[in-house]
Amino acid sequence: MIEIEKHPLEPFLPAKAKLLMLGSFPPQKKRWSMDFYYPNLNNDMWRIFGVLFFNDKDYFLNPTRKAFCRERIIDFLNEKGIALFDTASSVRRLQDNASDKFLEVVEATDIAAMLRWLPECKAIVTTGQKATDTLRQQLDVEEPKVGDYSEFVFEKRAMRLYRMPSSSRAYPLALDKKAAAYRIMYQDLQLLP
């Protein structure tokens, strides 16, 4: 019997969030460099943010370069209005790694409830196929191509679902190409000049 893992983090939901970023589920805690989202050093999410908003891929690394700076990330997310969580609240990890293909979703996150907590949210971004599939089981939205979006309506609120490249280094795309895809989304959402 494979153990069921409950999500180890609380949703990060700034009151004025305009964007909800959803991955699938965090990697195992033994791989973390900090106690927050996208915690392992071999994930490029915080490097993508560093490139886009500060022209420095290492902006969110702490001085030792062995972990990301959680406080700096949280301050940035609050300022920009970016919420974070995952589409799965509990999973079975079928292999000893963070790969989505070896995650079995036991309990999906209630995305509708989360959106009700975020009345100013106008867009969701999923950062992997498992996250996209899990979300689409709950919301009536067409699957966008990677790097693009689909429009949908949630309780009379016009919204967009962006499907961005995975920030995992296992995803075969260079950091600058990942950042270019995310740049378009953040410019569309007027979060980046």
Side-chain angles (χ1 to χ4, degrees), residues 100 124-152 159-166 171:
D100 279 357
I124 299 172
V125 58
T126 53
T127 60
Q129 191 62 51
K130 174 126 355 230
T132 305
D133 292 345
T134 305
L135 176 135
R136 290 188 63 239
Q137 290 170 1
Q138 297 179 48
L139 300 177
D140 184 19
V141 56
E142 285 185 35
E143 181 173 349
K145 294 177 187 166
V146 175
D148 205 354
Y149 67 87
S150 294
E151 295 180 330
F152 69 104
M159 298 199 64
R160 288 181 174 180
L161 169 62
Y162 285 86
R163 171 64 171 92
M164 291 290 108
S166 171
Y171 188 79

Side-chain angles (χ1 to χ4, degrees), residues 14 55 85 101 107 114 125 147 154 161 184:
N55 205 27
F85 199 55
K101 68 182 174 183
E107 179 186 1
M114 196 169 290
V125 58
F154 172 75
L161 169 62
I184 293 166

Side-chain angles (χ1 to χ4, degrees), residues 177-191:
K177 293 193 183 331
K178 290 177 189 179
Y182 280 82
R183 179 181 307 281
I184 293 166
M185 177 187 73
Y186 285 114
Q187 287 172 331
D188 281 355
L189 297 173
Q190 299 178 337
L191 293 173

Side-chain angles (χ1 to χ4, degrees), residues 7-23:
H7 203 293
L9 299 168
E10 292 294 316
F12 180 77
L13 305 174
K16 303 250 183 218
K18 299 168 199 72
L19 173 66
L20 173 59
M21 293 185 64
L22 296 171

Side-chain angles (χ1 to χ4, degrees), residues 60-77:
F60 290 108
L61 283 174
N62 72 15
T64 68
R65 298 185 172 283
K66 293 182 179 174
F68 292 108
C69 182
R70 182 180 185 270
E71 294 75 23
R72 184 179 273 190
I73 290 168
I74 288 172
D75 289 346
F76 168 79
L77 295 170

Side-chain angles (χ1 to χ4, degrees), residues 1-8 24-32 90-106:
M1 186 77 171
I2 298 172
E3 176 187 341
I4 295 175
E5 290 181 50
K6 294 275 188 198
H7 203 293
S24 52
F25 198 80
Q28 296 155 302
K29 197 146 187 163
K30 66 185 179 184
R31 304 195 193 289
W32 292 16
S90 62
V91 299
R92 282 190 187 93
R93 204 176 298 274
L94 305 178
Q95 288 198 7
D96 187 33
N97 62 39
S99 174
D100 279 357
K101 68 182 174 183
F102 299 116
L103 285 182
E104 175 190 323
V105 176
V106 174

